[in-house]
Amino acid sequence: MSAPESPEPSHGRRVSLLTLGCARNEVDSEELAGRLSAGGWELTAEPEDSDVVVVNTCGFVESAKKDSVDTLLAASDTGAKVVAVGCMAERYGAELAEQLPEADAVLGFDHYPHLAERLGDIAEGRAVASHTPADRRTLLPISPVERPAAAEQVAVPGHAGWGPRVLRERLDDAPVAALKIASGCDRRCSFCAIPSFRGSFVSRHPDEIVAEAQWLATQGARELFLVSENSTSYGKDLGRELGGTRALELLLPRLAAVDGVDRVRVSYLQPAETRPDLVRVIATTPGVADYFDLSFQHSSESVLRRMRRFGSTDSFLALIDQIRTYAPEAGIRTNVIVGFPGETEDDVAELERFLTAARLDAVGVFGYSDEDGTEAESFDGKLDEDTIAERVGRISALVEELTTQRAEDRVGQTVEVLVENVGDEVTGRAAHQAPEVDGECLVLDAGTAKVGELLRCEVVDSAGVDLVVRPLETAGGLPGTAP
């Protein structure tokens, strides 16, 4: 979406942004920060010092919704005006506003282009009508190739446009930054409500992404974490002249070549759409992490069909074999849902067979729960809470054992670690470890290592999914601090 003209300044009012949920929300918050700064608002990290606190909520699962509500309530205790934005606000709108009078406004994605003005209204005591939810899939054409032009008229968070300046402001100085390549999803997984409030899939123009990557590099980002709801669909709406379904394969080398960027990481891959050429590019392109975040969700064919997904234990294992043919030590992670309606003990055993054979680096295990407005909400064959909890515990125990073994197998290997924290301990992440979800590396004998430095290290020990490493030399070939 094109950037709007800058609104009138808000006369130095102060605003803080609190972000919950995934990396996509982090990008959206930094876009909002850019919009608010351009509109004259002063950004502050302390809600207590703010005139307005904006909470970018998550509405994915019940625990995330509870965290969002708790954060809104805590923000109201500061005495500042409180505004809810983000997925939960978009999904529930006026209903949330009615149930949470502590929030002064609940604003949806359509408010984002003019958020500076709306906050000005709220700060001055003028009422702003809360968002009225609607199915955002109806806002863009059904045909993907018709969407880029139509998206210019639709508020798509994280697609704020580019030109003389990137409409984004970093909210931290971390050496890793999320970079949105697309928004929305065309899949119809029976358990997922995301497409209804995030909308149909729409890619960003590759030149726009590269321009933002270059800007992020000037802001200290050494690793770019590419995010979307479904990265394997990137480019299907862009046309052949921009690569079409091969657009991500063409984009990755361009991003890896950006001056100042040491590593590019792709997230949110759909197994059924992960093409052999994309596997090859991710696994073999210098500067692109050989890391595969694959959304398997389950491996029993019968459960996957009820989920409106595709695949099986054997097809998933074949994909993993393909990855490891190119990069034997590639990092592979996934999430799985257990206790889905109709799941049998045989289905759980099939999932156990897959996980045991797959040797994954990290696995998130979630118990099924109904989500408002999803197809699965009406399914029969619901399992009781005790059965779901038992299966979550069983699969989690298996996953802990398997991922611990996988980490142990890395002892003696050489990894490149991006330093992220320097203090009493020096920690960072190797190529197979994504931010926050996949473990980290404890760097021994780090000497004068600095945040943002890339260290070539030997793995000397492991602790669960975490690794203990010692520098051999920096990525640039300078002597390390190890004896």
Side-chain angles (χ1 to χ4, degrees):
M1 178 177 177
S2 298
E5 293 183 5
S6 297
E8 290 298 316
S10 62
H11 308 295
R13 292 199 174 100
R14 294 162 65 85
V15 60
S16 61
L17 280 156
L18 304 179
T19 306
L20 295 96
C22 64
R24 299 183 295 271
N25 256 18
E26 294 173 10
V27 175
D28 295 350
S29 284
E30 292 194 349
E31 178 196 311
L32 293 180
R35 291 185 182 279
L36 292 171
S37 181
W41 285 85
E42 180 184 351
L43 299 170
T44 174
E46 301 300 331
E48 294 79 5
D49 297 334
S50 302
D51 297 293
V52 180
V53 178
V54 177
V55 180
N56 191 351
T57 61
C58 179
F60 182 43
V61 293
E62 283 305 316
S63 59
K65 296 173 193 173
K66 181 180 183 304
D67 288 345
S68 294
V69 170
D70 289 346
T71 302
L72 287 162
L73 292 174
S76 71
D77 290 339
T78 66
K81 301 286 188 179
V82 177
V83 176
V85 299
C87 292
M88 189 176 180
E90 176 66 35
R91 188 174 181 184
Y92 295 105
E95 178 186 347
L96 176 63
E98 182 177 349
Q99 296 179 3
L100 196 71
E102 291 84 354
D104 294 276
V106 176
L107 306 182
F109 298 150
D110 292 334
H111 289 96
Y112 283 17
H114 308 288
L115 187 64
E117 298 101 309
R118 297 294 77 76
L119 294 194
D121 291 335
I122 293 163
E124 293 175 13
R126 294 189 291 272
V128 175
S130 292
H131 165 65
T132 301
D135 190 335
R136 293 193 73 83
R137 289 172 292 192
T138 64
L139 301 182
L140 292 172
I142 294 176
S143 172
V145 295
E146 297 177 5
R147 291 177 191 163
E152 293 290 329
Q153 308 304 317
V154 175
V156 183
H159 292 229
W162 55 297
R165 58 160 291 187
V166 172
L167 194 59
R168 177 175 178 175
E169 184 161 330
R170 295 207 69 189
L171 295 174
D172 61 38
D173 57 359
V176 58
L179 175 57
K180 187 173 285 191
I181 63 171
S183 288
C185 186
D186 290 339
R187 301 185 71 88
R188 294 295 181 265
C189 300
S190 61
F191 57 85
C192 183
I194 289 175
S196 65
F197 58 84
R198 277 288 183 178
S200 298
F201 183 89
V202 58
S203 303
R204 296 181 70 189
H205 193 288
D207 291 346
E208 178 180 338
I209 296 169
V210 172
E212 187 164 330
Q214 292 168 335
W215 177 81
L216 286 168
T218 69
Q219 303 300 303
R222 304 276 72 86
E223 178 179 312
L224 303 178
F225 184 38
L226 308 188
V227 299
S228 70
E229 275 74 30
N230 177 5
S231 296
T232 37
S233 282
Y234 178 74
K236 73 176 187 178
D237 52 336
L238 293 180
R240 289 186 178 180
E241 66 278 8
L242 294 177
T245 56
R246 294 188 62 247
L248 185 55
E249 298 151 38
L250 300 175
L251 175 64
L252 288 172
R254 293 183 63 189
L255 293 174
V258 170
D259 187 35
V261 171
D262 293 317
R263 191 157 67 198
V264 177
R265 183 184 304 277
V266 186
S267 64
Y268 305 106
L269 303 173
Q270 288 290 341
E273 298 178 25
T274 304
R275 305 169 300 280
D277 281 349
L278 179 59
V279 169
R280 174 183 54 78
V281 169
I282 293 175
T284 64
T285 301
V288 176
D290 51 353
Y291 173 84
F292 293 82
D293 174 15
L294 291 160
S295 177
F296 290 122
Q297 302 298 349
H298 211 285
S299 71
S300 164
E301 288 189 74
S302 59
V303 173
L304 288 167
R305 297 304 174 270
R306 286 194 294 277
M307 288 180 169
R308 304 292 183 243
R309 296 176 67 84
F310 303 94
S312 65
T313 294
D314 291 338
S315 68
F316 292 163
L317 291 176
L319 174 58
I320 290 171
D321 286 344
Q322 183 183 98
I323 291 168
R324 289 183 174 144
T325 297
Y326 287 111
E329 303 307 329
I332 306 175
R333 78 152 349 259
T334 197
N335 294 321
V336 297
I337 298 172
V338 294
F340 195 77
E343 182 188 63
T344 66
E345 282 293 335
D346 286 344
D347 295 325
V348 178
E350 185 69 359
L351 178 59
E352 291 171 330
R353 179 171 82 89
F354 167 68
L355 292 170
T356 302
R359 296 172 51 244
L360 303 174
D361 291 275
V363 182
V365 182
F366 299 90
Y368 172 80
S369 61
D370 286 335
E371 273 298 305
D372 298 340
T374 61
E375 183 184 3
E377 188 180 22
S378 65
F379 283 0
D380 57 15
K382 299 284 179 63
L383 304 180
D384 61 76
E385 291 184 5
D386 289 344
T387 299
I388 294 174
E390 186 277 328
R391 291 180 181 178
V392 169
R394 190 197 324 172
I395 297 298
S396 295
L398 175 63
V399 161
E400 183 177 2
E401 177 184 355
L402 294 170
T403 54
T404 296
Q405 291 174 358
R406 178 68 172 157
E408 290 171 351
D409 290 343
R410 292 188 181 275
V411 174
Q413 295 178 9
T414 299
V415 294
E416 289 191 345
V417 177
L418 179 69
V419 177
E420 294 187 312
N421 296 286
V422 173
D424 293 338
E425 295 182 334
V426 175
T427 59
R429 291 177 299 102
H432 70 280
Q433 297 169 319
E436 298 184 7
V437 294
D438 293 342
E440 63 181 9
C441 293
L442 171 64
V443 186
L444 304 179
D445 303 326
T448 58
K450 298 179 177 61
V451 170
E453 188 174 1
L454 197 65
L455 299 177
R456 186 168 177 266
C457 300
E458 180 186 4
V459 181
V460 297
D461 201 357
S462 64
V465 296
D466 297 330
L467 301 181
V468 181
V469 304
R470 179 174 282 114
L472 297 172
E473 58 182 23
T474 66
L478 299 176
T481 57

